[in-house]
Amino acid sequence: MGTKAVDENGVKTDEHKTDEVTEAAESTGAEKKTEAAKKEGAGTPGTTASDGTDTPKDADDTPVNGEDTPEHHDEDGTGTPAGPTGVGQGAGAVVSAGLGIVSLTGSWVGTVASARESLIGQLETSSSSDVGMLIEKGYGNAWQATAMWGGVFALVALVVGVVVLARPAFGAPGRPQAPWIKSVAWAGVALGVIGLLLAVLKYTNVLLGLPSTG
């Protein structure tokens, strides 16, 4: 082994050749490491490759075959859009039917109004001896007051029932109304019509009029 880098004839010595081989081996190893780092960076989710190309953070998060993401599902997991539950319509139908029944059977409001009119009639006719006036003031006005309040309840029942039946036309399209809600609402409408008709007939003395005193 010579100690000189180049001999007199300009020929490289063995020591210089050894240095060149070592440098070539180190350069080849560095290139292999760089290529391995590029492959590893391109295959790892959420990383950036050496060539500057961004890779997806998580490929599994992308919807496949048109599947909805979790935020597109409703609370019950059926995949249908959230909408009205029909609780208000059901309550309205029950209220309509209840008011229709009250209009036929009577209410405490009608009872109090009837007793009040009867008392007023007695006070107005306390010094009168006319039987017809006694009947009209003492009973006729009281019965009319009962009929009037029955008609009010019947009218409210009719209006509420019609509103419940017409509500789906102004709601979400394609969402049918529950059958039981329709049935109860129709019952309220029917009872309201009957109660209103009876109230009008009684108030005008066509039905159950005052007895004749002649």
Side-chain angles (χ1 to χ4, degrees):
M1 300 292 178
T3 60
K4 295 180 179 181
V6 181
D7 59 1
E8 293 81 2
N9 296 326
V11 179
K12 296 179 180 180
T13 61
D14 294 338
E15 183 178 358
H16 192 270
K17 292 179 179 180
T18 302
D19 293 340
E20 290 181 350
V21 171
T22 303
E23 292 177 358
E26 292 176 355
S27 177
T28 303
E31 291 178 357
K32 291 182 178 180
K33 290 180 179 180
T34 302
E35 293 178 357
K38 289 181 178 181
K39 293 180 179 179
E40 182 178 1
T44 303
T47 58
T48 303
S50 300
D51 56 358
T53 303
D54 294 335
T55 57
K57 182 178 180 181
D58 192 355
D60 294 335
D61 293 339
T62 303
V64 181
N65 297 330
E67 293 180 357
D68 294 335
T69 54
E71 59 270 17
H72 293 159
H73 292 280
D74 61 355
E75 296 181 355
D76 57 3
T78 59
T80 57
T85 58
V87 175
Q89 298 179 30
V94 173
V95 168
S96 175
L99 291 175
I101 295 174
V102 170
S103 68
L104 296 177
T105 60
S107 64
W108 68 269
V109 178
T111 302
V112 172
S114 176
R116 181 175 181 275
E117 290 296 330
S118 179
L119 179 60
I120 292 175
Q122 292 176 8
L123 293 176
E124 291 178 352
T125 59
S126 59
S127 59
S128 176
S129 60
D130 188 352
V131 179
M133 184 178 292
L134 289 174
I135 294 176
E136 181 180 357
K137 295 294 185 178
Y139 298 94
N141 293 345
W143 294 347
Q144 286 182 346
T146 303
M148 182 187 69
W149 281 103
V152 170
F153 279 99
L155 182 61
V156 175
L158 179 60
V159 172
V160 174
V162 170
V163 170
V164 171
L165 292 174
R167 178 63 179 86
F170 302 96
R175 193 177 185 88
Q177 193 176 51
W180 73 269
I181 295 179
K182 290 184 178 180
S183 300
V184 177
W186 275 115
V189 171
L191 292 172
V193 170
I194 296 173
L196 187 60
L197 179 61
L198 293 177
V200 172
L201 293 176
K202 179 62 192 80
Y203 191 86
T204 57
N205 290 328
V206 175
L207 178 67
L208 300 176
L210 293 173
S212 176
T213 58

